[in-house]
Amino acid sequence: MISKNILEQAKELIGKDRQNDYGDKLTNHKNIAALWSIFLRKDISAHDVAMCMALVKVARLMHAHKVDSYIDLAAYAAIAGEINEREE
């Protein structure tokens, strides 16, 4: 699979039905951050959530090189970038 295909699939993943299924990306990641902050007893940002989810994908790739993990990694990087832009 070439990089263009990975990015196209990541674009599909973070668009369309995901907004309907999970709501706005920033709001969703803020909600996750609030819950993680309570559990970890440390302030976690929405951007931190997206980056940590990307690291989950990196950890999975350390075990097995699955196409889905590359797609998800690209998607979380894009989400982190969007959150960064929207929170500035």
Side-chain angles (χ1 to χ4, degrees), residues 6-29:
I6 290 172
L7 292 173
E8 286 173 358
Q9 288 187 39
K11 182 179 173 183
E12 292 261 335
L13 186 64
I14 59 176
K16 297 186 181 178
D17 296 336
R18 294 292 175 153
Q19 179 94 4
N20 294 333
D21 292 342
Y22 303 112
D24 177 71
K25 290 184 276 304
L26 178 57
T27 301
N28 184 43
H29 282 71

Side-chain angles (χ1 to χ4, degrees), residues 10-68:
K11 182 179 173 183
E12 292 261 335
L13 186 64
I14 59 176
K16 297 186 181 178
D17 296 336
R18 294 292 175 153
Q19 179 94 4
N20 294 333
D21 292 342
Y22 303 112
D24 177 71
K25 290 184 276 304
L26 178 57
T27 301
N28 184 43
H29 282 71
K30 282 184 175 182
N31 290 340
I32 294 167
L35 293 167
W36 285 8
S37 294
I38 292 166
F39 182 78
L40 296 171
R41 297 181 182 155
K42 177 182 177 171
D43 286 335
I44 305 294
S45 71
H47 185 267
D48 292 337
V49 171
M51 294 305 297
C52 286
M53 294 305 295
L55 291 172
V56 168
K57 301 306 173 177
V58 170
R60 288 182 177 174
L61 286 164
M62 291 171 72
H63 173 72
H65 295 186
K66 303 274 185 176
V67 173
D68 286 356

